Amino acid sequence: SLFLADANAGLAAVESESLDLVLCVGALELLDHAICLPEFARVLKPKGELWASFQWEDAVDESGAAMASPTRHQNVAGVTLSELAAKLEMSGFDFDTAHVEKSHCAFYTPSPAKDGSVLPVPYLYVSASVQKAR
C-alpha cells in the first residue's frame, strides 16, 4: 500500500515500526530535517529502509573543482556530506552502513544571472537503515 503525508507535520497517523520503506525524493531541501528524519526512523520496521535524496552542498565536479550552490539565490540549500551523516545518525539511522550515490547533475535550475542560462543541481541519493539498537 502507499501512504502520502506532509512530513513537516510529523507522521502521527503512522504506527511506529510499521513500514518497510520510506521514500522521500526531491523534497528534503524544503523540509525540516529535525522533524521528518526522526519520524522516518520511528515508522520504519527494524529492517526497513529510507530511500531519500538531498541537494548536495559543497559538491565537487568530476574534475574535483568546487561547484557553486545553484539554488542559494532561491533560498534553497542542501546538505554537505558531513551534515548528512550527522543528521541521519542523530535521527536514528546507521550512516556507516548507508549507501550514498553522488550525482553532479540531478536536474538544471535557472541561473541567478537571469540570462536564460541554467546551472546543474547536484544531489546525494541515500539508502539508509535504522540503527539496530533503538
Side-chain angles (χ1 to χ4, degrees):
S1 66
L2 177 65
F3 177 78
L4 300 174
D6 174 358
N8 273 341
L11 303 174
V14 182
E15 284 186 49
S16 295
E17 298 185 10
S18 63
L19 301 179
D20 294 308
L21 176 68
V22 170
L23 175 66
C24 187
V25 294
L28 279 160
E29 54 276 2
L30 305 173
L31 296 175
D32 185 338
H33 296 167
I35 294 171
C36 65
L37 292 175
E39 280 291 279
F40 294 165
R42 180 187 66 78
V43 300
L44 282 169
K45 292 178 182 177
K47 293 190 180 191
E49 288 190 352
L50 169 66
W51 294 355
S53 66
F54 295 79
Q55 187 172 315
W56 181 16
E57 294 295 321
D58 295 340
V60 294
D61 65 18
E62 290 87 355
S63 70
M67 296 176 69
S69 176
T71 58
R72 183 117 10 230
H73 67 286
Q74 300 164 338
N75 294 321
V76 175
V79 295
T80 65
L81 263 169
S82 60
E83 290 170 338
L84 174 62
K87 287 176 183 253
L88 288 177
E89 287 284 337
M90 287 176 34
S91 299
F93 291 96
D94 184 356
F95 190 75
D96 291 334
T97 62
H99 180 76
V100 179
E101 293 271 337
K102 299 173 184 175
S103 170
H104 297 97
C105 181
F107 58 91
Y108 292 93
T109 192
S111 166
K114 298 181 183 177
D115 60 0
S117 63
V118 293
L119 299 172
V121 180
Y123 259 71
L124 299 167
Y125 296 95
V126 180
S127 171
S129 297
V130 177
Q131 293 171 357
K132 291 186 181 185
R134 290 197 209 190

